[in-house]
């Protein structure tokens, strides 16, 4: 499987080595110490200033792959180890020694001095060489850049900070990034945005592999609907199911079936709330749920009381297999945080598609060569992975329940910025729609940071193929799969 950046390639190589050693039950201290030298052999660095730094980064990535937080390279105030699922790798962070707003050569030394007049903090002076920004006074408000008629002031915000729409990333005294766990919604956008791969998620692959190697443990895989197209355009959910069984899982069930159940139950909530004139939000995206909990706590009571498709599926599995070890597999790093939400029905482990790909390669399994297996879910449950898909599924269920779809309005929010805008409208009582569908990743789950497909167009092409069964009946599917008796309430 193609990796589209050097940073993701490096992450993959570490995951693959750790997975290979784990499957062969040889992940001991000596083998762990050899991994950096196997990936970075010789004395020539691949990307960084020296092999010693590159190997230290590999060591920290090995820790992440083994479910441990990376160690600080030195003691600095406010740099602590926490259990957040998204972690900064100190050795990999370049510190990006840049000031956010800088005057460029486009400055014309104009007479209007618009930038100076726009600055409320006295940070700008005009010199013989043009405008000058005193960084000790600059508060990064951006008014100078907005005022300059020549666009001569560049906004050079660090990529990790720019990607974070909730202000969870700050810069420490050592110029390295710090993630504020109290604000972080675990979306993983910073991990995808960092050009140095200095932010990553903690993995549980070693624990999962240990369970797969244990013949006395029943291990169940729950792949998310976003898997369509991840391992190639020809790899359907049916072929992936076969590949997971070859990997060692005892059972494989689609999360899309849990999506059907969520759509059905949220439709019942929506009809009831609409009759009472009350608004609500969906609860399937864990980053969106985190956004509400941490940044809009006054709206928690507006959140759907239906659990996510992941939790619904775990509960359904454990209704029949109480002692099963259940693994959710998807493109979402925030799902690792959802597993800590303290809601009954959390999975035992969460893996991303990046991690699953490493496991497949370690075991020499090619999903595209696997035969089809039977699957069970409607096309509506599978559409949950794209922006607007939850709305489509819920409205289909509303119609099946006899509700008036023409009277109920939904607001699909595509990306964190739209989610924040929708929640703000709901907060001040100005939301015209009845329900907000929140997807923090633009495009939906298919654009999650744990994806491996190199082209967004490929993922969208698979989504279009999914949209071919408008005659699917959600109610009939849930009845057929004995899902109606599963508890779907969050509280």
């Amino acid at each position: 499987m193609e990796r589209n950046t050097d940073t993701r390639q490096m992450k993959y190589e570490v995951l693959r080595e750790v997975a290979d050693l784990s499957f062969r039950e040889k992940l001991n201290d000596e083998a762990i110490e050899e991994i950096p030298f196997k990936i970075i052999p010789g004395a020539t660095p691949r990307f960084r200033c020296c092999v010693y730094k590159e190997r230290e980064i590999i060591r920290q990535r090995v820790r992440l792959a083994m479910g441990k937080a990376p160690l600080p390279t030195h003691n600095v105030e406010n740099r602590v180890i926490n259990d957040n699922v998204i972690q900064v790798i100190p050795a990999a962070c370049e510190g990006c020694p840049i000031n956010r707003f800088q005057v460029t050569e486009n400055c014309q030394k104009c007479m209007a001095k618009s930038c100076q007049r726009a600055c409320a903090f006295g940070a700008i002076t005009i010199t013989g060489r043009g405008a000058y920004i005193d960084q000790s006074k600059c508060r990064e408000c951006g008014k100078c850049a907005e005022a300059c008629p020549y666009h001569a002031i560049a906004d050079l915000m660090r990529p990790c900070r720019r990607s974070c729409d909730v202000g969870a990333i700050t810069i420490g005294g050592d110029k390295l990034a710090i993630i504020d766990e109290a604000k972080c919604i675990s979306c993983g956008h910073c991990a995808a945005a960092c050009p140095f791969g200095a932010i990553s998620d903690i993995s549980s692959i070693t624990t999962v592999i240990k369970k797969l190697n244990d013949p006395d443990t029943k291990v169940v895989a729950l792949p998310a609907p976003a898997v369509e197209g991840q391992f190639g355009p020809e790899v359907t959910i049916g072929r992936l199911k076969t590949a997971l069984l070859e990997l060692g899982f005892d059972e494989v069930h689609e999360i899309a079936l849990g999506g059907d159940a969520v759509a059905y139950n949220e439709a019942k909530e929506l009809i009831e709330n609409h009759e009472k004139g009350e608004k609500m939000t969906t609860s399937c995206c864990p980053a969106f749920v985190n956004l509400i909990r941490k940044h809009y706590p006054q709206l928690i009571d507006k959140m759907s009381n239906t659990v996510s498709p992941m939790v619904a599926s775990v509960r359904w599995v454990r209704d029949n297999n109480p002692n099963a070890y259940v693994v959710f597999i998807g493109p979402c790093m925030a799902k690792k945080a959802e597993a800590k939400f303290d809601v009954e029905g959390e999975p035992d482990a969460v893996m991303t598609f990046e991690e699953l790909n490493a496991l497949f390669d370690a075991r020499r399994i090619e999903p595209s060569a696997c035969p089809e297996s039977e699957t069970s879910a409607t096309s509506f449950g599978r559409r949950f992975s794209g922006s607007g898909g939850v709305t489509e599924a819920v409205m289909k269920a509303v119609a099946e329940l006899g509700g008036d779809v023409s009277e109920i309005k939904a607001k699909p929010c595509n990306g964190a910025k739209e989610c924040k805008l929708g929640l703000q409208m709901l907060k001040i009582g100005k939301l015209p729609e009845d329900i907000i569908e929140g997807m923090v990743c633009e495009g939906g789950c298919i654009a999650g940071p744990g994806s491996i497909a190199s082209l967004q167009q490929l993922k969208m092409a698979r989504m279009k193929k999914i949209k071919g069964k408008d005659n699917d009946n959600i109610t009939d599917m849930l009845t057929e799969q004995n899902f109606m008796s599963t508890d779907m309430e969050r509280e």
Side-chain angles (χ1 to χ4, degrees), residues 28 31 57 87 99 121 134 155 193 203 229 287 291 343 367 408 475-476:
N28 51 42
I57 294 170
Q87 293 279 333
N99 297 309
F121 307 102
D134 184 343
D155 183 355
S203 176
L291 179 64
V343 174
I408 299 176
T475 307
D476 289 347

Side-chain angles (χ1 to χ4, degrees), residues 100-101 114-116 118-119 124 133 140-155:
R100 178 173 175 183
F101 290 98
S114 301
C115 57
Q116 186 180 45
C119 180
I124 296 182
I133 301 175
E140 299 187 349
C141 66
K143 295 297 183 182
C144 58
E146 293 175 6
C148 178
Y150 295 102
H151 304 289
I153 300 179
D155 183 355

Side-chain angles (χ1 to χ4, degrees), residues 326-362:
V326 185
V327 182
F328 172 88
I329 305 170
C332 180
M333 293 180 183
K335 283 294 183 185
K336 297 182 179 184
E338 184 183 355
K340 302 178 181 180
F341 277 2
D342 197 26
V343 174
E344 183 181 353
E346 69 275 7
D348 296 289
V350 172
M351 290 199 312
T352 62
F353 294 144
E354 284 184 308
E355 293 163 342
L356 177 61
N357 185 53
L359 267 62
F360 280 151
D361 285 359

Side-chain angles (χ1 to χ4, degrees), residues 37-282:
F37 294 90
K38 184 174 182 179
I39 294 178
I40 311 290
T44 304
R46 289 171 58 179
F47 310 110
R48 306 279 183 152
C49 59
C50 64
V51 293
Y52 308 107
K53 182 168 186 174
E54 289 190 343
R55 286 173 184 151
E56 177 57 29
I57 294 170
I58 296 297
R59 290 187 185 94
Q60 299 303 325
R61 283 204 168 277
V62 170
R63 285 182 60 85
L64 285 168
M66 295 176 63
K68 303 174 183 178
L71 294 173
T73 53
H74 56 287
N75 293 324
V76 177
E77 185 180 0
N78 295 328
R79 189 160 297 285
V80 297
I81 298 175
N82 56 45
D83 62 352
N84 201 33
V85 299
I86 309 297
Q87 293 279 333
V88 176
I89 305 172
C93 182
E94 288 294 300
C96 299
I98 57 175
N99 297 309
R100 178 173 175 183
F101 290 98
Q102 295 188 22
V103 180
T104 70
E105 293 181 354
N106 286 341
C107 180
Q108 301 298 306
K109 314 177 191 63
C110 67
M111 297 171 61
K113 303 177 182 178
S114 301
C115 57
Q116 186 180 45
R117 290 186 290 106
C119 180
F121 307 102
I124 296 182
T125 55
I126 306 300
T127 71
R129 302 178 62 180
Y132 169 76
I133 301 175
D134 184 343
Q135 298 297 335
S136 66
K137 296 179 180 179
C138 179
R139 297 296 180 268
E140 299 187 349
C141 66
K143 295 297 183 182
C144 58
E146 293 175 6
C148 178
Y150 295 102
H151 304 289
I153 300 179
D155 183 355
L156 302 177
M157 184 188 292
R158 289 168 66 154
C160 56
R161 291 185 67 189
R162 187 184 297 278
S163 70
C164 183
D165 290 302
V166 295
I169 295 182
T170 57
I171 308 304
D174 53 0
K175 298 296 184 182
L176 304 186
I178 296 175
I179 298 176
D180 185 347
E181 191 174 3
K183 295 180 180 179
C184 179
I185 60 175
S186 303
C187 62
H189 293 172
C190 56
C194 178
F196 288 96
I199 304 178
S200 192
D201 52 323
I202 293 180
S203 176
S204 59
I205 61 169
T206 55
T207 303
V208 172
I209 293 172
K210 183 177 180 180
K211 296 296 181 180
L212 290 173
N213 284 343
D214 182 3
D216 296 325
T217 301
K218 184 168 188 175
V219 190
V220 178
L222 299 176
V227 74
E228 294 279 357
Q230 288 288 334
F231 295 86
E234 70 281 7
V235 181
T236 61
I237 184 65
R239 286 186 172 181
L240 182 84
K241 180 177 179 180
T242 305
L244 287 167
L245 292 171
E246 286 188 16
L247 192 61
F249 286 95
D250 296 289
E251 291 183 11
V252 180
H253 302 286
E254 286 188 75
I255 286 289
L257 183 59
D260 287 328
V262 167
Y264 183 84
N265 282 270
E266 283 195 346
K268 290 194 293 185
E269 283 189 84
L270 181 56
I271 293 171
E272 182 179 339
N273 285 330
H274 180 67
E275 291 174 350
K276 295 187 294 185
E278 296 180 358
K279 313 287 186 178
M280 64 177 286
T281 76
T282 58

Side-chain angles (χ1 to χ4, degrees), residues 300-320:
I300 289 177
D301 64 333
K302 301 295 184 183
M303 193 163 53
S304 168
N305 198 41
T306 299
V307 296
S308 71
M310 178 180 77
V311 173
S313 299
V314 173
R315 289 182 179 180
W316 177 70
V317 167
R318 289 189 176 140
D319 283 345
N320 302 303

